Structure formats: C-alpha cells, structure tokens
Amino acid sequence: MEKISQKASWGQFWYDPKKRGYLFQFILFITVIGIGSFLVSNTQQNLARQNIASGFDFLGQEAGFEISESSIDYWADDSYQRALLVGILNTIKIALVGNFFAIILGVFVGIFRLSPNWLLNKISETYIEVVRNIPLLLQLFFWYAVFTEIFPDVKESLNPLPGVFVSQRGLFFPIFKEHFIWKWVWITFFTGIICTFGSSYFLKKKWEKTGQSWSLLPFASIFLLILPFLVWIFGGAPHQLDIPELGGFNFSGGMTLTPEFVALMLGLVLYTGAFNAEIVRAGIQSVSHGQWEASQALGLSRWQTLRLVVLPQSLRVIIPPMTSQVLNLIKNSSLAVGIGYPDFVAVANTTMNQTGQAIEAVVLIMAVYLFFSLSTSFLMNYYNRSQQLKERGA
Amino acid sequence: MSLKYTKNPEKRSLPMMQGFAKWMKKNLFSTPINSAISLILLGLLVKLLGPFLNWLVFNATWEGTAQTCRHNDGACLVFIKEKFIFILYGFYPRELLWRPTLAIAFFIGLCFYSREISRWNKRLLSYWLILILIWAFLLKGGLFGLESVSLDKWGGLPLTLILAVIGIIFSYPLGILLALGRTGYLPLVRSFCLGYIELIRGVPMISLLFMASVMFPLFLPDGLVLPKLMRAQIAIIMFMSAYMAEVVRGGLAAVDKGQYEAADALGLSYWQKMLKVILPQALKIVIPPTVNTAIGMFKDTSLVLIIALSDLLMTTKTSLKDPKWLGFSVEAYVFVALIYFIFCFSMSRYSKRLEKEFSYGGRS
C-alpha cells in the first residue's frame, strides 16, 4: 500500500509539465551557477598565479602610445581612459559616415537592379554578387593594398580633379579657408533642417484641416539654401580655398583622409551597400504590381510613382532588415584593427597588450558595442513604428 | 477550317542581326534617357574594365622572377604560381600534402552528394560526422602509420573549411535548442536564451575571438591547455549558434498556429510536438536564410587571422611578407578573393535553387 502511493506521487510529479518545468529550470540554474563559479574561481587562481591585476584602475594610468587619428586632442601621456574615448569617437565617426553612404548606395543600386536598362541592371547585379561573396576583411586588405602599393608616392601624386590628390599617404582635397562666418552658415543650415521638418508638420496639419496642399519645396529651399546663402553673403562671402600643397615630404593645407580611413570606408560602404541594395530591391518588389498600374493610370511618371507611391509602402518592408545592416556595419567597423585604423577595438587591443588585463579589455569592448547595438536598434525601432500602417485601436 | 497555333512567323524569320538590334532597342535604347545611360555605362566599362583586364591578363607576367615582374606593368602571376601551395596549405609539411588534398576532395565530394534534397536524412548527417573524423584522422595523423602533424602546422584552405564546416554542424543543433528555449514556456530558460542570443548578436565577432584567445586560458584550471584552434572553433560555434537561433525562431513563428493547436489537441508532449510536427516544417521554411547564415560564417572565419591563426587569408598575408616577393599584395588578394568567391557563390546559387524547389513543391 505504502509503496504504491509513493510511486503515484512521484509519477504525479513527473507527469505534471508545470512541476517538471520547475525541476528543469532549477537544474539549469544550478548548472549555470556551478559552471560560472568554476570559471570564476579558476580565473581568480590563474590571475593570482600570473600576478595580473584586476579591476578598472588602469583606466587612469598613462597610456603611453600614440593614436594616428583623433577627433579630440590626445597625447601619448594622456590616460587610457582618454585613449579609449578617442577610439569610441573614431568608431562613431566610421559608423555615422559609413551608414550614411551605405544607405544611399543601397537605395540607388537597389533601384538600378530593377531598371529596364539591361546594362545598368547587369552591372548592379555583378557588383552585388561579387562584393557579397568575398569576406569583408579581405576587401579591406585589398583597398588598403591599392593605396599602399598601386598608388604612387606623394611626389608623383595622381591629380584626378584640380586640387584633389591621391597618393600612398591618402586622399587630399581642398576645403574653404577658415572664417568665422562658416560656423554661422552651418548653424543656419542645421536650424533650417529643424524648420523644414516643422513646416512639413505644419503643412500636413493644414492639409488635413482645409484640403489645400502646399509644396514643401519653397520652404525647404528657403531654410536650407537661401538663408544659409544670405548669411554667407552678409558675412563677406569668403571664398578662398585651402588647397593642399606639396611641401617637403607631404601635403599641407586642405583636408587629408588617411589611407586607413579611406580603405575602411570604401570596404564598409561597398560591402554593406550591396546588402542594402538587395533589401531595397526586395522592398520595392514587395509592393504589388497593381500599385504601379494604378499610378500609371492616374498619369504619374515612373519617378513620381516610385517616390510617392511605391517607396513609402516598401519602407515598411525595408526598415527591419535595414536596421540589422546598420548594426552590422557598426559591428564590422571593428575590423579596422586589421588595417591599423585606430577604432575602439584597436585601441582596446593595444591597451590589453600593454596592461595585460585581458578580461577588462574584452568586457569593455563588449559593453561598448552592446551599448551601440541596443541604442541603434532602439532608435530604428522607433522610426519603424512611425512608418508602419496606423491601425485601428492602436 | 481548323485553327492551328503557329509561332509568330515574323519573329522566326528575323535574321540573327536584326534580332540582336531589336533586343538592343528594347533593353538598351528604349528611351532617350535610357540610351544616354547605356552609352555612359559602356564608356565607363571600357575605361575601367579595359585597364583592369590589361593588368590582369594581357600585360601580366606569367614566367620569370620577381625582377621580371617589377619591370613589367601587369599583374605578377608568377607570384601566385610560386606561392600557390603555401597559400592553400600554409605550413603543412610539404611531403604530406596529399592528406589535406584528400580531405578537401572528400569534402567537395560529399557536398555534391548532399545536393539532392531526396538524400537528406539521418544517414547523410552521419556521413558528415564521419567526414569530420576522416578530416581529423587525415590532417592530424598519428594512427595507422600516418605521421603525426601538430595543430599549429595546419593552415590555409583546410583550416578555413574545418572552422566553417564544424562551426555549421555544431551551431545548427545548438541554434535550434536556443530558439526552442527562447520561444518555450519555461521563464528562466527563456530569459537565459534571450540574454545569450542578444548579447552575442550585439557584439562583434572579434570580441569573441579575443575572448577565445586571451580569456579562455584564464578560465581553465591550471595545467589544462586547449590549443588555440579549438578555442577559436568554440568561439565561432558560440557566435554562430546565436545567429542560427534567430533564423530558426523565424521559422517557428512562420509555422501556422493551427499546427501548434492541432498537436496540443492530439495530446502530444512538448518534445513530441516540436520534433514530430513543428520543427520539420519550421526548418524547411528557413532553409534559404540558414544557408545565407552559413555563407556569412564561412566569410567570417577569415577573422581568425586577427588572433594569428593561419587560415586562408592569413597564409596569403604571410606569403606577402617574403622579402623576395614584396609588393604583390593586390595579385594575391584577387587570387584568394576568387577562392572565397567560388565557395560562397556556389552556396548562394544553391540556396536560390532550394528556395525555388521548396516554393514549387509546397510542404510535401
């Protein structure tokens, strides 16, 4: 009697999915904790035996290495903290500029892919297939080698456009000479962007109320072109160019982009642009053919149809995979370490080699990229929600 | 009078040249804008492709030494001929090269064998596992009179293939488990899988490889040493399984809800439901993205060079450091790019074919 009831209770426990679930989770919990503590204790012993310090105290120490490119002042006697900050800023720079060009390239090539022009179509397809099927790191090495081996010495720089020079030392091009009014032109321009968005909102409200539709174009041109231009005129219209000039061993003046930066940009933009193009193509194709025919019947041109009817609808399909491409570019920018561009991973790697504090360095790398990834996907999800169809009861 | 369908007689009688002209008119010069685009593109093609072909083929140096190469303008194909073996096999002992070659041959053979969907069954899986054993036996040796070769001598294409194939074979089931955990009903398991997947997908692969090269040795107890190749392999599997998990999760979400409910209504347990009903459908739906992930992983194995493992890309870089042959990087990179391209392009073509077959065949 006793035995049977015991058996039954065990059976009851085992065959109740809920209780069994608790058991599984308990086992998982114990296993994870067990493995975790095993690794931690091993690590502590190993660190103690090898006399490696732990903790983030090293951040305040003197870094003692130079960084070839920096957007803020940095000297070798600055702290590791500042060196890492330089790396983070370089990564952000690459991520912003790279994604900007990669998305533009993707949109154009994606549209080219659907062009009725056979040649344009095939060239775009070849570009996409070639670039997507070769590792990015190899492409970065290739572009870097093009700079360092194919392009001539500084003294015999190529001069494809007046004032623009290409050589082993990088890309040199003219910029406007420094003048206080440029700052104000930029400020007007950026305020203009905000005002354009504001007037677009205002016009939409007005359209909803009265049905009168106004073109945004005059507003946009006033805010983005005419006002900055007027500021420039009233500031004395400075137009002197700072043209790079060859003096001694290198160019001076103008703007310089290092071969590392240009190679990294070329590689990242061409690679991600190919993936973006496929996403844009799929997005456009997802819009039903009836939409094209309907807008043709309404008398819209091909370009108008694309801009006013098809692209807004395909955006809903495009944004989610495009988000992961944006993130991919950010993560792939870590390959900069392969060609010696001082991005965050490169600086963290140098830090790791100098201090020997591997765990802290890897944790820092992971934390920084996780922060980038999470904040980007948060922003893109926000944008995605604004583009989705508004449904009832939402 | 019986009506008989005849093919457009006009079109048939068009002479060859006229047909071509018609095709050109339709595809290249349909509108003035189109004509302008075509002409500009043609001009660009001639201007860019011409010098490239000149460099790569017509002006290329096929015979001679580094000195002859430096005198000529074209590509130095002598360099490729000279370094061919090293780029493909790395530091593997020269007299034992038949072993990695045989391993690659087995691999390509099995790839061709697995092409047909009708052969996809448990036996095929066991063939792939046997392939790994054969690889280990051929490359490592030390049994049946084969000379033993240490792990740090492995390199080149065999190493790249090992990292990719073992990575795919192991990360696929792990990815399925993670996806099941993430979508399952156990809250603790779910949050654990979610955290793992999001953490791994949020960081670049380099950080995991750094972890493998510098942190794994610290994790292990004193005296236990894993070779770097294995540590990198573990990192690749860890990385890849998170991506596989997301692909599989897409498949789980794409299976009709009715299938879940029907399986529940039949009283199947969770594992019966998943293994017999849901997973077979879900995995089939996501075959194309799975292959795409596999292609991505194949390319990403090139990252191991950053922790100084001599994969295909690393052997290429090493061959460029030969002081006798400095300055032929572009040639070497174009050559390896071709190797990577052949592998990845055939995989992506294959994925397209599968996509077609499954979309026609439906869910059989």
Side-chain angles (χ1 to χ4, degrees), chain B residues 84-96:
Chain B
F84 182 75
I85 298 289
F86 183 80
I87 290 177
L88 278 190
Y89 297 109
F91 291 103
Y92 208 84
R94 282 290 162 274
E95 64 282 3
L96 301 174

Side-chain angles (χ1 to χ4, degrees), chain B residues 346-362:
Chain B
S346 32
M347 272 198 272
S348 81
R349 273 294 116 119
Y350 180 59
S351 134
K352 285 222 173 91
R353 202 189 95 186
L354 286 181
E355 209 168 334
K356 249 190 202 153
E357 267 174 43
F358 281 117
S359 70
Y360 288 145

Side-chain angles (χ1 to χ4, degrees), chain B residues 172-189:
Chain B
Y172 193 50
L174 271 176
I176 294 175
L177 280 182
L178 279 170
L180 288 179
R182 187 174 172 176
T183 52
Y185 58 92
L186 302 176
L188 199 66
V189 178

Side-chain angles (χ1 to χ4, degrees), chain B residues 331-351:
Chain B
E331 287 89 335
Y333 290 145
V334 170
F335 173 67
V336 244
L338 195 67
I339 299 181
Y340 275 109
F341 180 79
I342 290 170
F343 278 98
C344 295
F345 187 66
S346 32
M347 272 198 272
S348 81
R349 273 294 116 119
Y350 180 59
S351 134

